[in-house]
Amino acid sequence: MSLPSSADPRAPRRTSSPIIVCIIFFFSGAASLVYEVVWMRQLTLIFGVSTYAVSTILAIFMGGLAAGSYLFGRASNRISKPLIAYAILEACIGLYAFFIDDLFGALRGPYIALYRMDMPHLALVLTRGSLVAAVLLPPTILMGGTLPLLARYLIQRREDIGRQTALLYFVNTAGAVAGCAVAGFLFIEHLGLQRSIHAAATMNFLLAGATIALSSLVRTPAAAPVLDRGAAALSATTISPFVARVTLAAIGISGFASLAHEVVWTRALLRYLYNSTYAFTTMLVIFLTGLAIGSWLFTVLPGRKTRPVAVFAALELGAGFLFVLSANLFLHLPEISNSILGEQVSSFGGTLTLLVLRSAMILLLPAVCLGAAIPAAAEILSYQPVSAGITVGRVYAVNTLGAILGAISANFLLIPVLGMFHTLATLIGLNILVAGALLFATADSMARKCAVTALTATAILCGVLLLPADLFRRTFTPTGTELVYYREGATDTVGVVQAPDGHRVIQYEDKRGTSATFAYQLNFLLGHFPVLIHPGEPKTALHICFGVGNSLSALAASPSIERVDSIELSPQILDAAHYFWTNNDVLRNPKVNTIIDDGRNYVLATQKTYDVIVIEPPEIFTSGVINLYTKEFYQDVYRCLADDGVFVQWVPIGEGSQDEEKMLLRSFYEVFPNMTVWVQLVEDMTILLAGTKHPQRYDYGLIEDKMSRPRVKDDLLLCGLGRPDGLLRTFLFGPEVLDAYLSGVTPVTDDRTKLDFSMPRYLGSGYGLGAFNANVHKEGTSPRTVATDHMAAYVALRTNVRAYMINYPESDPMNLSNQLQTPRKPTPNFPPKIRAQAEWNRWPNE
């Protein structure tokens, strides 16, 4: 069949339609990324933020795109009106999105029932995947079908397949960049999750209407164009079936390496970007920007038509060696970025600039090469006698399937088995190997094949040798400290860092280190506190967030406690526990049952109830942690709490404005209206929230008895507490103050978290990129000053704990109405009655 010529009256009129189609596809890409970001957050509220849950959700999302691309690509040559078909897809996506929130809600019941069956972990992962697939596959298959349909519409000549595919991929990926940025920096914070989805769905409907209007202005060929017989004969001598198969395999392997690289570098970059929602958004935006630029640059690459296989090979070779360059830049990333922007940023805008710069130095250039690979593969396969829709759909589907396997393999196989450094070396070798395979496939003599093989092996060896030795371990340790434990696992990287004075700190991927041997005072108080104020003798306890095990150790030490379920997301953290002598080897305590799970997910799904629940999450700005501060989470905790139980949560002060801290309190208060607020340590700026189902009353005699028990007494002496009065005088206020104090305040909810976006902008948050703050007006205000001011405001609201007391001595020897008293640091020489452990005895004095 001959293609219609430009003079043929049957040819479609397209004076401006390609531009309009590109604009439509840009906004389609933006809407798709809004969905991906928002749906990911919604599903983690059900299934948790573990690497297993997130990887499952991402794999199914991308799998739907791959399936849609393949299926609609195969069907495209039978679709006579691709624009109308495209409009129907956009409208169906938008319609589905309006109801998807109800579908997500419907997943909770079956998931909880399956979770409670106590099935093996692999079976639970597969079951979780099945539930996610039932909801996500329909819309993502439709999304995947948009590219081949537009390719079917726009591309009428074989020689245009590569260029037009590059153009479509560019505008769609550029739209994805915009959608990711808008969702991550604007929509979710200000609109919330559900309204963000509605905004994207509205965009789908508008795009459907615009496409239908466009289709009425142009005529489309009745059948998909294919190569005429002459072109087909030419293609048979130019691109063999073997080369076509190698090309498809190469684009799949390229997708595998691309997403695996992204996993490795996303984890590594956290140590220089810090772990917030902005860090992940920035890295994704930069990576997508590189892909978009690469697809556009392909349209102007020399030789893309005459030597497409060589161009594809050069792109893969370039990606491999650019990742080698990234590795060498990563070793000196802070010094390089500081020389450009200065050593200290002074605004949140400066912080974002730093995030973008550091991400771009590592990810941008390799992503440019990877972004040009898809249109390069489409250019090569355009020599096959099939329609443009089939070619583009096949390339995109294979690349996406490779990406899925790359992300899963990197998380669960490559990094745990090989480590991040050897995983990076393997992926770089894979990029170079793909380049060699492409050149080998087109070599026309045995001598050239041997030369290609030798050069490929040499290039791989050079790439690996040029990587800085032990790159990721070297950049993990702060200057002047010793790394005594380091492990890269499937979920995260964890280290134990020892300071020159002998203290040890648990350190995470983003170089946070809030739990340590020197944190024993805060931790011991938190562990003992809920047992002390409990109205009876609690027997069962739930502890969420292990840290270094200090608070869990204190909780399990109470004689009345018979069982403690300890929930921790990271196995690597538990493996590091024995490096911290202050936890008294708590994991060997027969009372303690450790469970590897997301705390939110466990509380949602468990059918157990507990007398005591303690949670000690990381800083609130940390990505995903806000899920442990929402009203819906507290409702799940309420269900798990025994009728006379006590729930205690640790909250740092000064990480946000006082209005934002009020939102945290409001979320807790709406579920636990009998809550009380206690100061844990004024000098460390932390408070404790205590929630119960009934009004709280404290029995002085019972508290005194509990504090006198052997291990409890020793721990509290280390914290500077000897009598109940010291504990009771840390009381701040209860419902009598909270009702008025929180009047009109909006709680933090799953739909509107807000604080994980606003707190990194606040000086007092401790967000690690420098002294910046747009909300504190006093010039030169430090985080410590902000926290002190906030604590002073809480202390000013303090009421007398006597109203909550029963059996308190009439003489009131300590006068509980006096000024606030908090535990003090112990004297340099520890009290003599300390656990007789060698490590503890060697613990350096403060």
Side-chain angles (χ1 to χ4, degrees):
M1 183 186 75
S2 299
L3 298 179
S5 67
S6 58
D8 192 331
R10 296 174 300 160
R13 299 190 302 272
R14 298 225 181 105
T15 54
S16 61
S17 61
I19 297 175
I20 298 174
V21 167
C22 287
I23 293 173
I24 289 172
F25 208 35
F26 173 90
F27 286 104
S28 177
S32 295
L33 254 291
V34 171
Y35 288 137
E36 181 178 350
V37 172
V38 174
W39 290 348
M40 184 73 72
R41 287 177 69 106
Q42 287 182 306
L43 286 169
T44 56
L45 295 172
I46 302 172
F47 302 115
V49 297
S50 70
T51 302
Y52 299 97
V54 172
S55 296
T56 301
I57 297 166
L58 181 61
I60 290 170
F61 190 97
M62 297 180 67
L65 297 180
S69 180
Y70 178 78
L71 294 173
F72 282 93
R74 288 286 300 266
S76 63
N77 62 342
R78 299 190 299 272
I79 297 174
S80 60
K81 296 182 178 181
L83 282 184
I84 296 297
Y86 173 85
I88 292 172
L89 293 190
E90 290 286 356
C92 289
I93 294 167
L95 184 64
Y96 194 94
F98 266 105
F99 296 98
I100 201 168
D101 197 53
D102 295 329
L103 296 175
F104 285 156
L107 292 179
R108 293 170 66 99
Y111 175 66
I112 291 172
L114 291 166
Y115 185 97
R116 291 177 178 177
M117 291 173 63
D118 198 25
M119 59 180 62
H121 185 261
L122 178 59
L124 182 62
V125 170
L126 295 175
T127 301
R128 178 190 292 146
S130 300
L131 292 173
V132 174
V135 175
L136 279 193
L137 281 182
T140 53
I141 288 174
L142 298 178
M143 291 177 193
T146 57
L147 178 60
L149 284 179
L150 289 186
R152 153 74 177 88
Y153 169 73
L154 278 183
I155 305 171
Q156 297 300 308
R157 299 184 304 170
R158 176 196 59 74
E159 55 266 32
D160 287 340
I161 289 181
R163 188 177 68 86
Q164 295 284 34
T165 300
L167 179 63
L168 286 173
Y169 191 67
F170 163 69
V171 296
N172 192 244
T173 308
V177 171
C180 180
V182 167
F185 291 110
L186 184 65
F187 274 12
I188 298 176
E189 177 182 1
H190 298 288
L191 297 182
L193 299 179
Q194 193 168 16
R195 289 169 67 187
S196 295
I197 291 176
H198 291 170
T202 302
M203 179 65 68
N204 289 130
F205 290 134
L206 292 174
L207 294 175
T211 306
I212 291 173
L214 177 65
S215 69
S216 67
L217 301 176
V218 297
R219 287 198 299 265
T220 305
V226 296
L227 295 176
D228 59 30
R229 294 182 184 276
L234 176 64
S235 71
T237 62
T238 307
I239 299 295
S240 67
F242 174 69
V243 173
R245 290 194 295 270
V246 171
T247 299
L248 269 180
I251 198 61
I253 296 172
S254 177
F256 178 96
S258 174
L259 258 289
H261 274 300
E262 186 179 3
V263 169
V264 170
W265 286 111
T266 296
R267 286 181 56 164
L269 274 168
L270 283 180
R271 63 195 61 173
Y272 296 130
L273 303 186
Y274 302 93
N275 188 4
S276 76
T277 183
Y278 293 118
F280 288 101
T281 299
T282 301
M283 285 186 280
L284 182 55
V285 163
I286 292 298
F287 195 75
L288 291 173
T289 299
L291 297 180
I293 293 172
S295 59
W296 175 78
L297 284 177
F298 177 79
T299 62
V300 297
L301 281 178
R304 67 175 179 84
K305 285 186 173 298
T306 58
R307 304 189 65 187
V309 177
V311 169
F312 190 4
L315 291 171
E316 288 297 322
L317 185 67
F321 277 99
L322 283 171
F323 276 122
V324 173
L325 175 62
S326 295
N328 284 275
L329 290 175
F330 184 77
L331 196 61
H332 308 286
L333 193 59
E335 295 91 331
I336 297 172
S337 61
N338 290 345
S339 68
I340 298 172
L341 298 178
E343 294 188 2
Q344 186 174 9
V345 294
S346 57
S347 68
F348 186 64
T351 299
L352 291 182
T353 303
L354 189 59
L355 290 175
V356 169
L357 176 63
R358 290 181 173 179
S359 299
M361 289 172 64
I362 302 301
L363 296 174
L364 185 62
L365 291 180
V368 169
C369 290
L370 296 171
I374 288 181
E379 182 73 58
I380 298 168
L381 294 174
S382 69
Y383 288 88
Q384 299 298 299
V386 294
S387 72
I390 293 176
T391 298
V392 174
R394 184 187 301 168
V395 169
Y396 186 72
V398 172
N399 182 261
T400 304
L401 284 174
I404 295 169
L405 293 175
I408 294 174
S409 298
N411 276 317
F412 303 123
L413 179 63
L414 296 178
I415 293 176
V417 174
L418 302 178
M420 289 174 62
F421 176 81
H422 291 102
T423 296
L424 177 62
T426 300
L427 295 175
I428 289 171
L430 203 56
N431 286 121
I432 300 172
L433 186 62
V434 167
L438 288 165
L439 296 176
F440 184 91
T442 55
D444 55 5
S445 68
M446 184 56 65
R448 290 189 176 184
K449 290 181 185 295
C450 291
V452 168
T453 302
L455 289 173
T456 301
T458 303
I460 292 173
L461 181 61
C462 290
V464 173
L465 291 178
L466 287 172
L467 288 174
D470 206 10
L471 169 66
F472 300 112
R473 186 184 181 103
R474 287 168 61 186
T475 54
F476 191 84
T477 311
T479 304
T481 61
E482 178 187 357
L483 191 62
V484 297
Y485 168 84
Y486 178 81
R487 183 176 174 190
E488 298 164 346
T491 56
D492 56 358
T493 301
V494 172
V496 176
V497 175
Q498 183 165 299
D501 62 2
H503 283 301
R504 290 176 178 174
V505 181
I506 192 84
Q507 186 165 297
Y508 308 111
E509 201 99 59
D510 59 354
K511 288 191 174 181
R512 281 182 301 111
T514 54
S515 296
T517 51
F518 57 73
Y520 70 93
Q521 188 182 30
L522 286 167
N523 303 149
F524 286 176
L525 276 174
L526 176 62
H528 288 299
F529 177 74
V531 177
L532 294 176
I533 67 170
H534 191 281
E537 296 284 1
K539 299 185 183 305
T540 59
L542 175 65
H543 183 279
I544 299 175
C545 301
F546 182 83
V548 299
N550 290 344
S551 56
L552 175 62
S553 173
L555 179 60
S558 295
S560 68
I561 295 293
E562 297 174 356
R563 188 191 80 248
V564 182
D565 287 336
S566 171
I567 313 300
E568 173 52 50
L569 190 61
S570 168
Q572 289 74 246
I573 288 178
L574 298 181
D575 291 341
H578 69 277
Y579 287 90
F580 297 90
W581 50 87
T582 48
N583 66 33
N584 290 277
D585 207 9
V586 65
L587 292 181
R588 293 190 180 183
N589 189 323
K591 295 181 181 181
V592 175
N593 172 43
T594 57
I595 301 171
I596 301 297
D597 201 352
D598 172 81
R600 165 102 187 212
N601 182 60
Y602 178 83
V603 170
L604 166 70
T606 186
Q607 55 188 337
K608 295 179 182 178
T609 58
Y610 297 92
D611 299 322
V612 166
I613 299 177
V614 178
I615 181 169
E616 189 179 10
E619 292 89 341
I620 299 168
F621 67 76
T622 306
S623 179
V625 169
I626 195 65
N627 294 344
L628 300 178
Y629 287 93
T630 67
K631 178 180 176 180
E632 289 82 357
F633 170 67
Y634 294 139
Q635 289 170 339
D636 289 334
V637 171
Y638 189 95
R639 180 186 54 80
C640 294
L641 194 64
D643 187 62
D644 62 346
V646 176
F647 168 48
V648 172
Q649 182 162 19
W650 169 87
V651 178
I653 294 302
E655 290 196 352
S657 67
Q658 286 217 267
D659 288 339
E660 290 167 337
E661 287 176 5
K662 285 183 178 181
M663 292 176 65
L664 292 173
L665 297 181
R666 184 76 202 185
S667 305
F668 198 103
Y669 184 55
E670 288 198 0
V671 179
F672 294 96
N674 300 300
M675 72 175 282
T676 55
V677 181
W678 303 67
V679 56
Q680 189 177 15
L681 281 178
V682 169
E683 56 200 66
D684 285 296
M685 304 301 160
T686 54
I687 59 174
L688 300 177
L689 309 183
T692 56
K693 294 184 176 181
H694 304 289
Q696 297 182 33
R697 295 293 181 267
Y698 314 120
D699 187 325
Y700 185 92
L702 182 59
I703 293 175
E704 187 172 37
D705 177 59
K706 291 177 181 178
M707 291 181 69
S708 66
R709 295 168 185 174
R711 164 70 193 275
V712 179
K713 181 179 180 180
D714 288 348
D715 284 352
L716 294 178
L717 283 174
L718 283 171
C719 299
L721 285 176
R723 291 178 51 82
D725 310 84
L727 175 71
L728 295 170
R729 286 171 64 183
T730 66
F731 178 86
L732 286 175
F733 46 78
E736 73 285 347
V737 169
L738 288 165
D739 195 50
Y741 183 63
L742 301 178
S743 177
V745 176
T746 302
V748 180
T749 63
D750 286 348
D751 185 65
R752 298 289 299 274
T753 54
K754 184 182 176 182
L755 303 190
D756 52 335
F757 295 92
S758 61
M759 282 190 169
R761 299 197 294 263
Y762 198 78
L763 177 66
S765 69
Y767 191 62
L769 297 179
F772 61 90
N773 178 31
N775 301 317
V776 175
H777 302 293
K778 292 184 292 184
E779 186 174 353
T781 301
S782 68
R784 183 72 180 181
T785 303
V786 172
T788 302
D789 290 345
H790 288 196
M791 184 62 77
Y794 290 128
V795 172
L797 297 171
R798 183 175 178 249
T799 59
N800 196 330
V801 72
R802 288 298 298 272
Y804 293 81
M805 296 300 304
I806 57 176
N807 298 327
Y808 187 76
E810 290 297 328
S811 59
D812 191 9
M814 297 296 292
N815 187 5
L816 294 182
S817 63
N818 280 354
Q819 65 179 4
L820 183 70
Q821 174 179 309
T822 62
R824 301 300 173 192
K825 297 283 187 182
T827 56
N829 295 317
F830 288 112
K833 295 181 180 179
I834 302 176
R835 259 78 60 219
Q837 289 188 353
E839 287 286 358
W840 181 275
N841 292 333
R842 292 202 304 269
W843 186 15
N845 291 336
E846 292 189 341

